[in-house]
Amino acid sequence: MLDSINADFTSSFWGLYVAGLVTISLLVCVLILVLNMTSRETGAPQVQAHTWDETLQEYNNPLPKWWLYLFWGTLVFAVVYLAVFPGYGTANDDRGARAEYAKETEKFQQVFDKYAKVDVAALAQQPEAVATGKRLFLTYCIQCHGSNAKGSPGFPDLTDNDWLYGGEADTVKTSILEGRAGVMNAFGAVLSGDEIKDVANYVRSLSGLSADAARVQRGEAVFAANCTVCHGPDGKGAASMGAAFAALGAPNLTDNVWLYGNSEAKIIEGVTRGRNFDNRSLKNAMPAWGEFLGEGKVTLLAAYVHSLSQKK
Amino acid sequence: MAQSNKHEAIERNVFFLIVLTLLAVSVGGLVEIVPLFFQTSTTTAVDDKGNKLDVKPYDPVRLVGRDIYIREGCYNCHSQMIRPFRAETERYGHFSVAGEFIYDHPFQWGSKRTGPDLARVGGRYTSEWHRTHLINPRDVVEESNMPAFPWLNRPADFSDVQDKMRALRQVGVPYSDEEIRTADATIKAYQNEELGGIAPTELDALIAYLQGLGTALRNVR
């Protein structure tokens, strides 16, 4: 909130305007009450002078006293409220609300901050921390990875101990903290349609899926020439070539675990357009959460994610 | 007549009664609404502490996306108004401030949350995610009861975007003549840079709109 509400107005007139209207309307209410107060007369209520529709007449019945006092009560309440809140004109005070908000935020921040530098693998052994991590996961991650963390096409399963970037506790933490965006070249411009179909069949054969034998044979050469730099010489994924390569994120193509689907058409589409490569390729990424969540929450999340594949 | 009958004067004169009624009901608005039009924090792009915010009028692609958002009734299930409560700022980010909505005519604050608030959804998910999710939410969020919008995968209509910009200028959005004249070029540039030359579909326009929501106050609480 701005420090002074007066400074927020384009001119100091508005303070007077608000105060003036409030005062006038209060006074008018008082005036109306005073002018219309009549005391109840004894005997039968009087009939008013006018007659509508030939025979229709009205009694003139003043309000009961207690009702009248309620009116006065609202006026007194208004004045007291304006003074105590305070809300008269530009008088402004949040009555400590902002300070309280800051204090609460600080309190919860500390709860999470103390996890920031804790070892993730150790934390994954603490049921309480894992439970907190799970709640955080349900708030921030299920849109992509699913409430059971089993993912969906394009969004990896986090429970299967098959990792794009490696499953060490700290690697998982880095994935969450800094985000990930695996890049694969678009081969549409480099390879012919036939070559792509060949290599797609070869890739399917790696997981033991049905594939055209002649194409598999030709595809093997295409794979060796174009794909092994990232997916590894035997297609077991970047992480299989050592930790230094894990950051490439190229998945293991031999395990029948698929990020985007195992149909020939899906594989051809991916290889042709590439991933996160140019403006024609399929773009998909893991957002970076460090800045938004802070390291403490990220560590708890990493502990939860890590624990998922440790159970088996 | 012993009793005072001043109210009779009002009751017997319909015109006078109407004038007094209007005066009485307008006091609240005059005191609580009118001054808002003369406050810096409600009429310029500043946050709750008075810092400048980077809020720009919707570019032509987002503008069309916004109209699709309205046409499809997304506001029936999604609000765009994060309240200053911890539970909300934890999930969505910094609470909404008036300065973020100065170019929204009409604003999409909404009043019902069947789904989550979208005021700061910009940049939170990838465009691919939005595409999958809008075509069939169940493909990514198994439990979702959000309807699928598969028909949005058709070319967006940009033919009247210049008229829309002119209309918005009438209500105070500062589009320059230049911006309106080059609207088509802006859309073409978007098409080439973001979509690899393929003409934007309604999905693309809607996603462009969503990806711009609330980004002026990102990553702060």
Side-chain angles (χ1 to χ4, degrees):
Chain A
M1 324 287 139
L2 290 154
D3 291 336
S4 146
I5 193 151
N6 246 325
D8 193 18
F9 277 118
T10 48
S11 120
S12 56
F13 160 77
W14 292 103
L16 297 173
Y17 166 90
V18 172
L21 270 183
V22 168
T23 313
I24 290 170
S25 52
L26 283 178
L27 289 178
V28 168
C29 288
V30 171
L31 199 70
I32 290 175
L33 271 187
V34 171
L35 288 181
N36 284 288
M37 271 192 308
T38 48
S39 45
R40 192 180 273 268
E41 296 187 354
T42 46
Q46 291 207 353
V47 173
Q48 290 196 29
H50 53 242
T51 310
W52 311 101
D53 285 343
E54 292 170 5
T55 58
L56 209 55
Q57 286 188 300
E58 282 182 281
Y59 286 127
N60 192 11
N61 250 336
L63 288 178
K65 274 267 159 19
W66 63 267
W67 194 326
L68 180 74
Y69 292 148
L70 280 185
F71 272 121
W72 283 114
T74 58
L75 286 170
V76 173
F77 178 83
V79 172
V80 172
Y81 182 82
L82 282 173
V84 176
F85 186 64
Y88 190 64
T90 50
N92 180 34
D93 181 358
D94 71 358
R95 306 188 62 81
R98 264 165 275 167
E100 202 178 316
Y101 185 87
K103 211 176 97 195
E104 288 293 301
T105 308
E106 176 67 22
K107 196 172 95 191
F108 282 99
Q109 197 57 43
Q110 281 168 0
V111 172
F112 291 112
D113 278 351
K114 70 171 191 272
Y115 291 105
K117 299 293 171 202
V118 177
D119 180 60
V120 178
L123 207 56
Q125 306 298 325
Q126 298 177 19
E128 197 193 334
V130 171
T132 311
K134 177 172 185 173
R135 278 195 291 277
L136 292 171
F137 190 86
L138 292 177
T139 306
Y140 300 110
C141 318
I142 62 164
Q143 249 70 12
C144 294
H145 292 288
S147 53
N148 52 9
K150 286 193 170 300
S152 49
F155 303 97
D157 184 338
L158 301 176
T159 65
D160 58 2
N161 216 357
D162 177 74
W163 300 91
L164 293 162
Y165 297 91
E168 301 75 36
D170 285 330
T171 316
V172 171
K173 181 170 165 181
T174 309
S175 292
I176 305 169
L177 207 54
E178 294 166 10
R180 299 281 191 189
V183 177
M184 168 158 128
N185 309 38
F187 287 95
V190 188
L191 300 175
S192 71
D194 247 349
E195 284 171 313
I196 293 179
K197 212 170 158 117
D198 292 344
V199 82
N201 273 276
Y202 175 69
V203 168
R204 276 176 60 86
S205 76
L206 289 176
S207 307
L209 297 166
S210 66
D212 180 325
R215 287 192 182 275
V216 171
Q217 212 167 20
R218 275 175 280 152
E220 183 167 8
V222 181
F223 192 85
N226 296 288
C227 320
T228 47
V229 271
C230 297
H231 289 283
D234 40 13
K236 284 195 185 305
S240 73
M241 298 188 287
F245 294 90
L248 288 173
N252 182 347
L253 299 175
T254 66
D255 57 1
N256 213 3
V257 173
W258 299 88
L259 191 52
Y260 295 99
N262 61 12
S263 69
E264 192 188 85
K266 276 280 172 211
I267 298 175
I268 290 178
E269 186 192 18
V271 173
T272 308
R273 293 173 63 186
R275 309 271 176 199
N276 297 323
F277 177 68
D278 62 16
N279 58 12
R280 277 172 195 272
S281 48
L282 298 164
K283 294 178 203 74
N284 207 11
M286 161 77 182
W289 292 90
E291 206 179 338
F292 181 62
L293 297 179
E295 196 177 345
K297 283 184 191 156
V298 168
T299 310
L300 284 163
L301 278 163
Y304 170 67
V305 171
H306 185 67
S307 77
L308 290 174
S309 50
Q310 295 303 303
K311 292 194 185 103
K312 287 163 233 145
Chain B
M1 288 283 311
Q3 282 174 325
S4 110
N5 254 340
K6 292 180 200 69
H7 55 91
E8 207 178 316
I10 302 171
E11 282 165 17
R12 301 194 67 154
N13 185 338
V14 174
F15 181 72
F16 195 38
L17 181 66
I18 289 175
V19 170
L20 287 182
T21 310
L22 285 180
L23 260 181
V25 297
S26 60
V27 173
L30 286 173
V31 174
E32 301 212 343
I33 301 173
V34 172
L36 292 175
F37 290 92
F38 302 91
Q39 262 174 301
T40 322
S41 60
T42 51
T43 54
T44 58
V46 294
D47 70 4
D48 53 314
K49 300 182 188 68
N51 305 320
K52 277 249 164 321
L53 290 180
D54 183 22
V55 181
K56 292 197 194 71
Y58 294 103
D59 68 31
V61 179
R62 287 186 176 151
L63 190 59
V64 168
R66 191 180 127 87
D67 284 347
I68 296 167
Y69 183 91
I70 297 170
R71 184 191 74 202
E72 298 297 341
C74 309
Y75 57 82
N76 284 310
C77 292
H78 292 288
S79 57
Q80 288 187 22
M81 167 60 69
I82 303 164
R83 295 171 291 178
F85 306 144
R86 248 182 52 82
E88 301 212 353
T89 56
E90 285 293 301
R91 167 65 163 83
Y92 305 118
H94 196 289
F95 52 82
S96 296
V97 300
E100 292 181 275
F101 303 102
I102 51 174
Y103 302 132
D104 274 38
H105 298 284
F107 58 75
Q108 296 302 315
W109 295 340
S111 59
K112 171 120 188 348
R113 283 185 188 159
T114 301
D117 189 276
L118 298 181
R120 264 180 233 302
V121 81
R124 183 159 185 146
Y125 307 114
T126 52
S127 298
E128 280 308 309
W129 182 86
H130 282 295
R131 197 178 305 278
T132 315
H133 183 251
L134 285 167
I135 290 175
N136 181 16
R138 260 70 54 198
D139 281 352
V140 277
V141 184
E142 222 177 301
E143 307 87 345
S144 178
N145 64 1
M146 169 163 149
F149 294 87
W151 58 86
L152 295 181
N153 205 355
R154 64 185 173 200
D157 177 12
F158 290 103
S159 60
D160 53 359
V161 71
Q162 291 178 323
D163 290 338
K164 287 178 179 170
M165 292 168 90
R166 274 187 218 104
L168 282 173
R169 190 156 71 171
Q170 294 290 317
V171 291
V173 180
Y175 287 118
S176 67
D177 288 338
E178 176 73 10
E179 277 170 319
I180 296 180
R181 206 177 50 247
T182 57
D184 284 343
T186 312
I187 296 164
K188 260 268 141 38
Y190 175 82
Q191 172 173 334
N192 289 332
E193 280 157 30
E194 301 290 329
L195 306 174
I198 300 160
T201 59
E202 293 193 334
L203 269 179
D204 294 320
L206 179 57
I207 292 170
Y209 167 67
L210 293 173
Q211 292 290 31
L213 285 179
T215 47
L217 267 172
R218 276 203 81 187
N219 286 338
V220 284
R221 288 276 162 69

